[in-house]
């Protein structure tokens, strides 16, 4: 069951923070609407890794589609591109 508290409870933040556990974030409301979430740092790091993985998968898919529609680059062209980029 979600732990939902008004943001005004942060005045007594020690008791709110004691309720934060992995996979059990505390959700804070402001004027009756969800505004913030306090999560365990490991859970936050896992979220950031997942977000980065999704971004990488999206960019790889864009590259695949580009290669299939516009044609693939040769290995020599790729090497030349990176040599120019890093030797500039």
């Amino acid at each position: 069951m979600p732990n939902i508290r008004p943001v005004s409870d942060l005045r007594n933040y020690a008791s709110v923070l004691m309720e934060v556990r992995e996979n059990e974030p505390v959700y804070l409301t402001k004027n009756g609407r969800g505004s913030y979430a306090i999560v365990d740092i490991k859970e936050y790091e896992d979220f950031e890794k997942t977000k980065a993985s999704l971004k990488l998968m999206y960019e790889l898919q864009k590259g695949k589609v580009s290669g299939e529609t516009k044609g693939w680059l040769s290995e020599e062209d790729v090497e030349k591109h990176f040599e120019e980029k890093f030797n500039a």
Side-chain angles (χ1 to χ4, degrees):
M1 174 158 221
N3 187 353
I4 302 172
R5 307 279 296 268
V7 75
S8 60
D9 279 6
L10 282 181
R11 283 185 224 127
N12 189 8
Y13 65 89
S15 67
V16 173
L17 293 178
M18 290 181 68
E19 296 178 25
V20 178
R21 291 175 183 72
E22 190 173 343
N23 297 318
E24 293 182 28
V26 174
Y27 299 100
L28 301 174
T29 62
K30 190 173 185 179
N31 298 323
R33 296 185 176 265
S35 289
Y36 308 100
I38 302 175
V39 297
D40 176 81
I41 194 70
K42 181 179 180 329
E43 189 174 356
Y44 176 75
E45 290 170 348
D46 290 346
F47 170 75
E48 288 296 315
K49 287 177 187 176
T50 301
K51 195 166 72 168
S53 296
L54 288 172
K55 184 176 180 180
L56 175 62
M57 290 177 8
Y58 173 73
E59 293 298 327
L60 290 171
Q61 181 62 25
K62 279 182 17 184
K64 180 181 175 193
V65 169
S66 175
E68 290 171 346
T69 58
K70 297 178 182 176
W72 297 96
L73 296 175
S74 69
E75 182 179 343
E76 293 81 23
D77 289 339
V78 172
E79 287 177 1
K80 182 179 175 185
H81 168 78
F82 284 106
E83 284 174 2
E84 290 172 358
K85 185 173 185 163
F86 291 110
N87 292 329

